[in-house]
Amino acid sequence: VCAVCLPERPRIWGLNDSKKLSEKKRERLFGEICALAAEYHIVIVEPAIIDQKNIYAATQDAMQQIVDAFVRKDGVLTDAMPLPACTLPCEPLIKGDMKSVSIAAASILAKVTRDRYMTELDERYPGYGFAKHKGYGTKAHYAAIRELGASPVHRPSFLRKMH
């Protein structure tokens, strides 16, 4: 989960929803965003927390952690998700990564961070293909779990979707 505070008129060319960018472009933009951002925060939510709370509540909690960590706090824009505990003005924008450069920038930092983490997990737990499928439920991912069993980083709630 990530949030970014950019200057009023950021000069970052090619900024877009992370899902619409190539990995190479996301990696390039990651450095530019970090260098230009007035402030940014990234929180990685552990699998056990996601299973304990559910992914929606765990994401909301991480987002609130980030809001609380920010020094600059005029208001909050989110990518569609409301933050009931937020005491600042908060506007959830549907398709926010297409409407706000800050949300688009945050989506890129979050995606690159997650992809890098998946590459680390691929080295730690070879055979699962984390670097390739990035933890998504592909046929190859499910096949690896059936062959090798679950790794310590697989969430039981994810594994239930296999059946």
Side-chain angles (χ1 to χ4, degrees), residues 24-102:
K24 185 178 178 181
K25 192 171 267 188
R26 285 191 304 266
E27 284 287 344
R28 179 185 60 77
L29 287 168
F30 185 94
E32 288 184 45
I33 293 164
C34 290
L36 192 61
E39 189 174 359
Y40 68 91
H41 296 276
I42 301 170
V43 170
I44 296 174
V45 180
E46 295 298 323
I49 300 296
I50 294 170
D51 268 352
Q52 176 189 355
K53 294 183 177 189
N54 77 48
I55 196 154
Y56 190 85
T59 301
Q60 279 184 315
D61 288 353
M63 289 170 72
Q64 188 60 52
Q65 267 184 288
I66 288 172
V67 169
D68 294 343
F70 262 87
V71 173
R72 301 161 190 266
K73 297 185 189 187
D74 297 330
V76 178
L77 297 176
T78 71
D79 192 5
M81 186 173 281
L83 292 179
C86 189
T87 58
L88 299 169
C90 182
E91 185 174 353
L93 299 175
I94 306 294
K95 298 189 180 192
D97 44 13
M98 295 172 62
K99 297 176 182 176
S100 162
V101 292
S102 292

Side-chain angles (χ1 to χ4, degrees), residues 139-155:
K139 288 180 183 180
H141 189 177
Y142 290 140
I145 294 168
R146 285 187 190 96
E147 181 182 329
L148 302 170
S151 76
V153 296
H154 281 103
R155 292 182 286 115

